[in-house]
Amino acid sequence: AQKITQTQPGMFVQEKEAVTLDCTYDTSDPSYGLFWYKQPSSGEMIFLIYQGSYDQQNATEGRYSLNFQKARKSANLVISASQLGDSAMYFCAMREVGSTSGTYKYIFGTGTRLKVLA
Amino acid sequence: DAGITQSPRYKITETGRQVTLMCHQTWSHSYMFWYRQDLGHGLRLIYYSAAADITDKGEVPDGYVVSRSKTENFPLTLESATRSQTSVYFCASSDLGRPNEKLFFGSGTQLSVL
C-alpha cells in the first residue's frame, strides 16, 4: 500500500498565483518527518521544506509553506506567487521507522509535475 | 569538495553483467540511501544503511547488493543487470536527528541496460 500519496500527476498555475500540491501519508508511528523536494528538468533534487510530526506550527521557507493537518494525515505544499522557475517535479516524502529497531528510512510519493504559465 | 558524489554519471551495460555504482559523502552522516527513479513511480528506496555494517532492504531490493564497510561509502551493485534495472539511481545521506533534518542527494547515475 502506498504510504505517500500524491494524487495530482500534473498541474498548471498562472505566474504570480499561489498553488497547492497535495500529499497524504499513512503511518502509525507517532514520530515522523515530512519533506518536500523539487526536481527541475536538470535532474537534481532540491530540498524545500521540512515538518516534524510534533511541530505545532506549519513550516515555512520563503515562498514555500507546508499545510500540515495531522488528523487528516495531509502535508500539502503551498507555493505563493509562482514563478516560471518553479516549473518542476515536486516530491513529497516521509521519514518513518526502519526495519531494524532504532533505524529510520525515507519514502517518497510519485510526484506532481508543476508547470507555471506566463 | 564537501558533499555527496556519485559515479559514474552515466553507464551503459549489457544484460547479465555486474555493475557497481559508487557513492561517497564527506559529512560523516550515519544514514545513507539508494533510490531508483522511474517514470510514474517517483523515487523508490532500494537499500539503506543506518551506520557502517548496518544495511536494510527498502521497497525494491531484488537484484541489488550493498555494502557499507566505511561510513563515507555506500556502493550499490547490480549482480546480473537486467533491462528492468534501466533507471536513474540516486544516492542520498541524511543528517537525521539534527534540527531541520534533510536528505542530501547526489547528482544521480543514469544507467542503461541493453
Side-chain angles (χ1 to χ4, degrees):
Chain A
Q2 191 76 352
K3 288 193 172 186
I4 295 284
T5 302
Q6 296 181 253
T7 57
Q8 307 153 313
M11 287 192 70
F12 292 95
V13 64
Q14 207 64 38
E15 194 178 10
K16 300 179 185 176
E17 292 188 350
V19 62
T20 297
L21 306 184
D22 294 342
C23 174
T24 58
Y25 60 93
D26 182 26
T27 182
S28 56
D29 187 18
S31 175
Y32 52 92
L34 297 159
F35 306 78
W36 278 91
Y37 279 82
K38 172 185 178 181
Q39 187 180 44
S41 57
S42 54
E44 75 262 39
M45 295 290 289
I46 302 169
F47 168 81
L48 295 178
I49 199 164
Y50 162 76
Q51 177 88 41
S53 60
Y54 294 119
D55 294 343
Q56 295 296 316
Q57 292 192 319
N58 287 343
T60 59
E61 291 280 354
R63 293 186 299 111
Y64 304 107
S65 60
L66 198 152
N67 184 1
F68 181 44
Q69 297 189 38
K70 199 169 184 177
R72 296 181 60 188
K73 293 188 175 180
S74 75
N76 298 340
L77 177 71
V78 180
I79 305 175
S80 62
S82 297
Q83 302 172 355
L84 296 178
D86 293 334
S87 294
M89 181 72 91
Y90 289 82
F91 292 101
C92 179
M94 177 173 67
R95 185 243 305 142
E96 63 171 8
V97 174
S99 305
T100 298
S101 177
T103 68
Y104 297 88
K105 60 185 177 182
Y106 298 81
I107 57 172
F108 284 75
T110 53
T112 295
R113 185 170 296 282
L114 178 67
K115 176 71 173 177
V116 180
L117 304 174
Chain B
D1 288 342
I4 182 164
T5 55
Q6 291 183 236
S7 62
R9 188 77 174 86
Y10 302 93
K11 176 73 177 177
I12 299 174
T13 191
E14 295 177 339
T15 55
R17 291 193 180 262
Q18 183 180 78
V19 177
T20 296
L21 309 183
M22 304 301 292
C23 181
H24 176 79
Q25 54 108 352
T26 60
W27 292 299
S28 298
H29 288 162
S30 293
Y31 279 85
M32 295 188 74
F33 306 84
W34 275 107
Y35 294 89
R36 60 177 290 174
Q37 183 177 13
D38 305 287
L39 200 62
H41 292 279
L43 278 78
R44 290 182 291 177
L45 181 63
I46 304 171
Y47 269 95
Y48 62 105
S49 170
D53 297 324
I54 300 176
T55 61
D56 268 314
K57 295 178 180 180
E59 302 163 274
V60 288
D62 292 345
Y64 303 94
V65 174
V66 293
S67 62
R68 189 139 180 240
S69 56
K70 292 184 177 180
T71 300
E72 60 266 30
N73 296 324
F74 191 37
L76 176 73
T77 297
L78 289 66
E79 293 189 298
S80 178
T82 64
R83 288 197 180 90
S84 64
Q85 292 177 309
T86 292
S87 186
V88 178
Y89 291 85
F90 283 100
C91 178
S93 69
S94 168
D95 59 352
L96 192 152
R98 298 184 186 175
N100 297 319
E101 71 176 85
K102 57 178 72 74
L103 265 179
F104 297 84
F105 282 86
S107 300
T109 294
Q110 195 165 313
L111 176 67
S112 296
V113 183
L114 305 179

